[in-house]
Amino acid sequence: MRFEDFLYSIGELTVDIAKRFESIIKDLLRPEPKDTPPNFRILRKLVKKDLSIHELISLKLQITFLIYLFINLLIVVFSPSLLVPVAILYFIYLRSLLMRTKNFIIEPEPYRAFYYSISLLTFMAFLGYVVLRGLNVRPQYYYGYLAGVFITVLGFRHVFRSKYGRDYTYGVVEEIKDGAVRVFVHDDIAANVKPGYYWVDAPSDVPRGAVVKLLVEERPLRGAVPRKIIEVYSSSQTSTEPKEQRE
């Protein structure tokens, strides 16, 4: 390869890296809803399950929050001064992720409200702990503070459930057997239902492949589960279809 060609290749590589970096910064600072779903190549390899785009986005939100929580634990132990800068970076990324994937989240508003709120509560809890440690208060103050954090979390749960919570969700009929049907249900944060397949009681005339509305039963500390079908729709070709992934 001639020296001029080598320099030209280096220049092309530099321009390509610069464009990619510019695209990343734009997505972070000025995110816009995407028309095509993200690939989630790494996440798919880790999970190794046939999840819908909605489930993958929900899983990424959960992983992102858990990573933020773990980093905060390290920060308060080793370098409390990084608490605010890390929080700023995290909220920038969280906002970008929610905005870019908005079109592929079923009922996005509860997810947006939940993750913004729980992330802010997490930041305030760690910040309060850092302040208390800096004041060098007696141990009983820490116990009172932890109790206050716990009560605040319970209060947030009550407010969230009051505004967004519901006692029903939606699913798709996958199998019919002996008066019961097996339905696939998406991750539904408003109904507190985990994604998966559930056997429920059903009317005798429910067709396979139909979208159904399901009554859910709340279980303390374990989430809710669908119990029975309360409404049947004629077709599963809707945004709730778990098998359809427009990639």
Side-chain angles (χ1 to χ4, degrees):
M1 177 184 291
R2 293 186 305 172
F3 184 68
E4 292 85 353
D5 293 336
F6 174 74
L7 292 178
Y8 184 77
S9 299
I10 294 296
E12 283 188 324
L13 179 61
T14 303
V15 171
D16 184 60
I17 293 175
K19 287 182 178 179
R20 289 178 180 270
F21 183 75
E22 181 183 1
S23 176
I24 292 172
I25 296 299
K26 182 180 178 181
D27 282 340
L28 287 174
L29 299 181
R30 292 187 297 171
E32 296 179 356
K34 301 296 183 181
D35 295 325
T36 56
N39 292 322
F40 293 114
R41 287 189 294 268
I42 297 176
L43 197 56
R44 286 185 187 279
K45 290 180 181 179
L46 292 175
V47 176
K48 296 181 180 179
K49 291 182 180 180
D50 186 21
L51 299 180
S52 68
I53 294 297
H54 173 83
E55 264 69 55
L56 288 167
I57 295 171
S58 178
L59 182 58
K60 188 167 185 177
L61 286 167
Q62 294 173 48
I63 292 173
T64 300
F65 174 72
L66 290 176
I67 291 174
Y68 174 62
L69 191 64
F70 178 71
I71 291 175
N72 274 348
L73 287 171
L74 295 178
I75 286 175
V76 296
V77 174
F78 298 107
S79 185
S81 61
L82 293 177
L83 193 65
V84 173
V86 169
I88 292 173
L89 293 176
Y90 167 75
F91 277 99
I92 289 174
Y93 179 76
L94 179 63
R95 173 176 174 268
S96 174
L97 178 59
L98 287 167
M99 285 291 293
R100 288 184 288 109
T101 59
K102 177 181 177 181
N103 291 337
F104 304 97
I105 300 176
I106 300 172
E107 200 175 358
E109 183 56 33
Y111 286 86
R112 185 162 52 242
F114 178 83
Y115 281 101
Y116 279 147
S117 299
I118 199 66
S119 297
L120 181 61
L121 288 176
T122 298
F123 168 70
M124 296 301 296
F126 280 107
L127 181 63
Y129 173 79
V130 169
V131 171
L132 282 179
R133 194 170 69 174
L135 295 175
N136 197 25
V137 297
R138 289 178 294 180
Q140 52 264 38
Y141 285 94
Y142 289 102
Y143 301 143
Y145 181 72
L146 290 175
V149 170
F150 180 72
I151 293 171
T152 301
V153 172
L154 291 180
F156 161 70
R157 183 180 184 276
H158 174 73
V159 172
F160 181 83
R161 294 289 295 167
S162 297
K163 184 172 183 180
Y164 297 105
R166 43 184 166 76
D167 60 357
Y168 63 89
T169 187
Y170 297 94
V172 178
V173 176
E174 297 284 339
E175 186 179 349
I176 303 173
K177 184 178 180 181
D178 298 331
V181 298
R182 184 170 179 252
V183 297
F184 177 87
V185 177
H186 277 290
D187 174 83
D188 189 342
I189 200 171
N192 196 25
V193 174
K194 296 179 180 179
Y197 292 91
Y198 298 87
W199 284 98
V200 299
D201 296 331
S204 58
D205 58 345
V206 59
R208 183 177 180 180
V211 173
V212 293
K213 187 176 182 179
L214 299 152
L215 182 69
V216 301
E217 178 184 324
E218 188 72 31
R219 301 179 303 174
L221 304 178
R222 292 188 296 169
V225 292
R227 286 305 183 194
K228 67 177 182 179
I229 294 174
I230 55 178
E231 194 170 348
V232 180
Y233 302 93
S234 60
S235 172
S236 64
Q237 301 305 313
T238 71
S239 61
T240 61
E241 171 61 63
K243 305 303 181 185
E244 181 182 358
Q245 297 182 8
R246 303 171 197 155
E247 298 186 67

